[in-house]
Amino acid sequence: QVQLQQWGAGLLKPSETLSLNCAVSGGSLSGHYGSWIRQTPGKGLEWIGDVNHSGGTNYNPSLKSRVTISTDRSKSQFSLKLSSVTAADTAVYYCARGLLGYFYMDVWGKGTTVIVSS
Amino acid sequence: QSVLTQPPSASGAPGQRITISCSGSYSNIGSNSVNWYQQVPGTAPKLLIYSTYHRPSGVPARFSGSKSGASASLAIGGLQSEDEADYYCAAWDDSQNGHYVFGTGTTVTVL
């Protein structure tokens, strides 16, 4: 059974760079893409972007200038970097995996809470 | 900000059927398939319906999806207490070089 394990720093100061990682166990990213989604407190879901197994990316236009998503195929991992964070970036961040060519995510990580505070 | 609009809440008695609407535009629902996710508070979202109509293995048949034009619907028949959760529609949006969009979310309460 494919599972996603995510980790990264949970407390940041304004202007720092958020960095999260997601490892695929019981499978790989081959033929799939890895996505990052966030959920602000009490609010809905926001797609951040995705990366396919070849390194091709798509980003949310509203975050594109600050986001970098990359993959390490040898480790079946993908990563998120979000620069110049502010309090508005405080959220639960999820990684998820989807099948290439299909616009849905069928495996999700458990989420990482990231708080931005001075 | 979400570009797919859902009602904030929906409710029904056990055994009843409810539907949740999801309103979008030509660039998203009108041109691409729709997915639905179920989220129990404090847990990660779970894929409920994919490619507009299809249920992943393990999802009960009382959950069904449909689409007409730029709108989609999720129906829950035979409502059960464990169906209390937040539900989100989602679709790929072809505008702005393409990006994924989620709905505003609907909280379902079983009375």
Side-chain angles (χ1 to χ4, degrees):
Chain A
Q1 182 181 359
V2 177
Q3 293 183 321
L4 302 181
Q5 184 170 4
Q6 55 183 107
W7 69 96
L11 181 60
L12 297 171
K13 295 186 185 322
S15 81
E16 291 185 334
T17 295
L18 178 157
S19 183
L20 297 175
N21 300 285
C22 183
V24 182
S25 63
S28 71
L29 268 182
S30 178
H32 295 80
Y33 58 88
S35 297
W36 289 97
I37 301 99
R38 70 181 183 180
Q39 185 168 34
T40 49
K43 295 193 176 180
L45 300 166
E46 180 180 31
W47 179 79
I48 299 170
D50 61 38
V51 61
N52 63 35
H53 67 284
S54 300
T57 55
N58 295 293
Y59 296 132
N60 186 321
S62 67
L63 298 169
K64 186 174 183 177
S65 62
R66 298 193 291 132
V67 173
T68 302
I69 298 176
S70 59
T71 181
D72 183 339
R73 281 178 285 175
S74 65
K75 297 181 180 179
S76 290
Q77 290 181 7
F78 56 102
S79 303
L80 167 69
K81 291 190 187 301
L82 179 66
S83 64
S84 306
V85 297
T86 69
D89 295 311
T90 293
V92 177
Y93 286 76
Y94 295 99
C95 63
R97 193 188 79 160
L99 186 63
L100 274 178
Y102 294 88
F103 301 120
Y104 61 83
M105 289 76 83
D106 61 347
V107 183
W108 290 65
K110 293 185 177 181
T112 299
T113 298
V114 175
I115 298 172
V116 181
S117 175
S118 55
Chain B
Q1 55 278 24
S2 302
V3 297
L4 304 183
T5 303
Q6 302 177 232
S9 63
S11 62
Q16 281 190 327
R17 173 185 171 91
I18 64 170
T19 61
I20 300 169
S21 61
C22 174
S23 178
S25 64
Y26 176 77
S27 64
N28 40 67
I29 295 177
S31 300
N32 297 293
S33 59
V34 180
N35 311 299
W36 291 88
Y37 299 90
Q38 177 193 58
Q39 186 180 32
V40 175
T43 69
K46 166 191 167 185
L47 181 66
L48 192 67
I49 297 288
Y50 67 93
S51 299
T52 306
Y53 310 105
H54 303 282
R55 287 176 286 105
S57 174
V59 173
R62 53 201 181 78
F63 291 94
S64 61
S66 63
K67 184 179 91 162
S68 178
S71 294
S73 294
L74 172 71
I76 309 176
L79 201 59
Q80 298 185 8
S81 58
E82 59 260 37
D83 299 334
E84 283 205 340
D86 296 323
Y87 293 82
Y88 295 90
C89 60
W92 186 257
D93 191 304
D94 292 331
S95 68
Q96 296 180 283
N97 294 317
H99 57 290
Y100 200 69
V101 291
F102 285 97
T104 50
T106 299
T107 298
V108 168
T109 302
V110 181
L111 301 172

